[in-house]
């Protein structure tokens, strides 16, 4: 297996709400919901960067597809990191998420390791960290 990821799929409880949050609130490019002609196929893909997409798909449909039971979700089992180039960009991204309807879990702050970060949750509770790490360069 090659060390690469091409799609990150988030299980959601309301596909339309998640589509609106990521497309309209955060400005992620998408063609909208596709696969509605299939009983368990409705999904929305968002282009993040070349070779990487974010998908939102119903948790019930993921349970059906995998044969695993639908269990309660927890926001602390997985985080998505969005690295930016400055503290100001952290503040801007956090404000955009707030305006989009995100729940701010942790306000942006100086971290113990010398960076600056904050956390927000999308409408389904998925946890995003917006972070400036002075040791990493963020791509434009």
């Amino acid at each position: 297996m090659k060390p690469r990821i091409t799609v990150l799929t988030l299980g959601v409880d309301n596909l339309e709400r998640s589509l609106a949050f990521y497309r309209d609130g955060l400005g992620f490019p998408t063609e909208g919901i596709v696969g509605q002609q299939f009983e368990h196929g409705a999904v929305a893909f968002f282009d993040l960067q070349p070779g990487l997409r974010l998908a939102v798909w119903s948790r019930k449909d993921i349970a059906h597809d995998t044969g695993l039971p639908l269990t309660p979700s927890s926001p602390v089992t997985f985080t998505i990191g969005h690295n930016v180039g400055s503290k100001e960009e952290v503040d801007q991204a956090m404000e955009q998420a707030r305006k989009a309807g995100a729940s701010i879990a942790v306000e942006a702050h100086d971290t113990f390791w010398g960076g600056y970060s904050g956390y927000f949750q999308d409408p389904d509770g998925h946890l995003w960290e917006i972070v400036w790490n002075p040791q990493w360069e963020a791509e434009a």
Side-chain angles (χ1 to χ4, degrees):
M1 186 167 155
K2 294 182 180 181
R4 75 169 165 247
I5 294 174
T6 54
V7 179
L8 295 172
T9 302
L10 301 178
V12 301
D13 291 323
N14 183 316
L15 191 55
E16 293 284 345
R17 178 183 67 191
S18 294
L19 172 66
F21 177 79
Y22 286 105
R23 179 193 60 204
D24 305 333
L26 298 186
F28 289 9
T30 181
E31 294 181 19
I33 297 173
V34 298
Q36 296 180 77
Q37 69 272 30
F38 304 109
E39 183 178 357
H40 298 283
V43 62
F45 295 99
F46 303 89
D47 295 320
L48 299 180
Q49 61 195 47
L52 181 61
R53 290 183 173 175
L54 175 71
V56 290
W57 193 19
S58 167
R59 290 179 355 101
K60 291 178 184 175
D61 292 336
I62 294 172
H64 174 81
D65 195 50
T66 62
L68 295 171
L70 184 62
T71 60
S73 61
S74 170
V76 297
T77 58
F78 181 80
T79 67
I80 300 170
H82 178 70
N83 286 273
V84 297
S86 68
K87 290 182 177 185
E88 293 77 21
E89 288 181 66
V90 171
D91 292 336
Q92 291 167 358
M94 292 291 289
E95 185 57 27
Q96 182 178 7
R98 183 187 325 271
K99 287 179 179 176
S103 171
I104 304 302
V106 177
E107 292 288 346
H109 64 283
D110 291 314
T111 65
F112 68 91
W113 46 267
Y116 186 75
S117 75
Y119 286 93
F120 73 82
Q121 290 178 274
D122 75 3
D124 286 277
H126 299 108
L127 199 56
W128 285 73
E129 180 184 24
I130 308 299
V131 61
W132 169 70
N133 183 334
Q135 303 303 315
W136 293 0
E137 282 189 40
E139 291 185 23

